[in-house]
């Protein structure tokens, strides 16, 4: 059977042989170039033209950072609805939707594995789950990663991607900030290294607590990092904010970050940093 037919001297593909191309391309929000999704995937979701770092999910992040053979842990916790929160949409419904969309119980995954052979505890926030907001389950899961790190004397990395505290859990959400920060203080006393990796976006209570408490606080390029959003700050101080305010580069320049590390270099950067912190190697330039 021919896959085309002649129509007024033109060759027109028959509908069953049309190649559907939508969904195969992405547009870079920074340089506006259209990128083939397979190229983007091969480049770790970084725009090949301008280096814009697209968001990646928690599972992909773990796969990217840890050596093969890692294990996902602490997966059993589930949020309840402590305040019977009913504003706009019922919280229970939002939780159910987010669980269906991400296949996770909440906005966090803990993993145990190695990074270039060095044992590591990893806790990664999932932005696609209600904006990576931190409620009791996220806080408790991170606290468990901290405890595990303390018990096994293994370095810790927390990868933040969060809009901040989860309003629908009220004070239970805010209490997590103190709980995780207290755990990190114990880690500090035990001289076990912790590196905080901030990705786009890291805001609110997460920035105000564990994301800025690393022995090294590092970020991916171009990530939005801050406490309140720029609009709220402008309205409060009645001043226009400078260009690039709250982006990684601005924060590095003003001393709030130790380094900006492109996604491709993250794994070796973290492995080298831990080797140096644990006295296994001299610092490289
Ligand atoms: Zn681009």
């Amino acid at each position: 059977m021919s896959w085309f037919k002649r129509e007024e001297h033109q060759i027109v593909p028959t509908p069953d042989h049309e190649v559907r191309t939508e969904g195969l391309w992405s547009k870079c929000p920074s340089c506006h170039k259209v990128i083939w999704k397979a190229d983007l995937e091969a480049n770790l979701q970084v725009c090949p033209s301008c280096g814009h770092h697209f968001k990646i999910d928690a599972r992909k992040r773990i796969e990217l950072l840890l050596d093969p053979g890692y294990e996902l842990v602490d997966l059993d916790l589930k949020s309840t609805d402590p305040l019977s929160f009913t504003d706009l949409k019922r919280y229970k419904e939002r939780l159910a939707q987010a669980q269906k969309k991400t296949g996770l119980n909440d906005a966090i995954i803990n993993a145990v594995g190695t990074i270039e052979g060095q044992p590591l505890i990893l806790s990664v926030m999932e932005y696609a789950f209600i904006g990576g907001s931190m409620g009791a389950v996220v806080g408790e899961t991170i606290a468990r990663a901290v405890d595990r790190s303390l018990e096994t004397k293994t370095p810790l990395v927390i990868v933040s991607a969060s809009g901040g505290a989860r309003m629908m859990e009220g004070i239970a959400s805010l209490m997590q900030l103190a709980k995780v920060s207290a755990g990190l203080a114990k880690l500090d006393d035990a001289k076990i290294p912790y590196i905080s990796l901030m990705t786009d976006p890291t805001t609110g209570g997460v920035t105000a607590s564990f994301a800025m408490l690393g022995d090294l606080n590092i970020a991916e390029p171009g990530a939005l990092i801050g406490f309140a959003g720029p609009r709220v700050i402008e309205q409060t101080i009645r001043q226009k904010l400078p260009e690039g305010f709250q982006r990684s580069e601005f924060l590095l320049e003003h001393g709030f970050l130790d380094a900006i590390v492109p996604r491709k270099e993250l794994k070796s950067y973290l492995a080298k940093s831990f080797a140096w912190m644990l006295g296994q190697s001299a610092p490289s330039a």
Side-chain angles (χ1 to χ4, degrees):
M1 189 185 104
S2 168
W3 59 270
F4 60 86
K5 59 182 179 183
R6 225 167 256 286
E7 207 172 76
E8 295 175 6
H9 308 293
Q10 282 182 326
I11 294 172
V12 183
T14 51
D16 56 335
H17 282 89
E18 276 174 11
V19 178
R20 299 178 74 85
T21 55
E22 68 264 36
L24 293 175
W25 303 89
S26 279
K27 193 173 184 185
C28 173
S30 178
C31 71
H32 307 294
K33 283 207 173 126
V34 176
I35 317 160
W36 194 32
K37 275 192 179 164
D39 283 348
L40 198 57
E41 178 72 25
N43 205 36
L44 310 179
Q45 301 290 332
V46 176
C47 171
S49 298
C50 72
H52 171 77
H53 282 50
F54 285 73
K55 287 185 181 68
I56 57 172
D57 66 30
R59 283 191 185 84
K60 186 86 201 157
R61 176 72 66 182
I62 293 169
E63 196 186 305
L64 207 90
L65 292 179
L66 292 180
D67 304 329
Y70 57 81
E71 190 191 348
L72 304 184
V73 292
D74 307 322
L75 299 165
D76 52 330
L77 299 173
K78 251 187 170 178
S79 261
T80 55
D81 184 5
L83 305 180
S84 301
F85 195 85
T86 52
D87 193 31
L88 301 172
K89 190 189 265 183
R90 286 175 65 88
Y91 179 40
K92 271 185 186 151
E93 285 168 30
R94 284 200 69 182
L95 277 173
Q97 276 173 4
Q99 282 158 356
K100 199 173 162 200
K101 180 172 143 194
T102 60
L104 297 175
N105 279 347
D106 215 301
I108 189 84
I109 311 181
N110 281 356
V112 174
T114 58
I115 185 164
E116 296 190 352
Q118 162 73 52
L120 185 75
I121 308 290
L122 184 60
S123 194
V124 182
M125 302 188 81
E126 174 57 72
Y127 190 72
F129 195 108
I130 317 184
S133 52
M134 180 159 80
V137 169
V138 171
E140 177 58 25
T141 306
I142 297 176
R144 287 186 185 191
V146 177
D147 287 348
R148 200 181 289 270
S149 173
L150 196 62
E151 281 159 21
T152 58
K153 299 187 172 23
T154 307
L156 171 73
V157 170
I158 301 176
V159 182
S160 298
S162 176
R166 190 171 296 168
M167 296 308 160
M168 299 83 113
E169 292 191 19
I171 195 70
S173 169
L174 294 177
M175 281 160 62
Q176 307 307 316
L177 307 172
K179 181 167 77 180
V180 175
S181 302
L184 288 172
K186 283 191 208 158
L187 213 59
D188 193 47
D189 290 342
K191 300 199 179 341
I192 297 163
Y194 156 51
I195 296 180
S196 165
L197 168 60
M198 287 166 258
T199 67
D200 186 48
T202 298
T203 59
V206 169
T207 314
S209 62
F210 59 85
M212 284 292 181
L213 291 176
D215 296 306
L216 282 178
N217 297 322
I218 64 172
E220 285 196 325
L224 175 76
I225 300 165
F227 183 62
R231 206 175 31 156
V232 174
I233 299 173
E234 280 185 348
Q235 282 168 0
T236 310
I237 64 172
R238 295 174 196 277
Q239 279 182 43
K240 194 95 190 109
L241 292 167
E243 186 71 20
F245 179 74
Q246 291 185 319
R247 293 283 163 190
S248 311
E249 293 71 15
F250 189 93
L251 269 78
L252 179 70
E253 204 182 313
H254 292 83
F256 284 89
L257 288 178
D258 295 304
I260 296 173
V261 186
R263 196 169 286 165
K264 262 186 198 167
E265 296 165 25
L266 269 174
K267 189 170 178 173
S268 77
Y269 180 94
L270 290 171
K272 278 191 191 117
S273 301
F274 285 128
W276 172 61
M277 288 169 162
L278 295 167
Q280 296 162 355
S281 75
S284 54

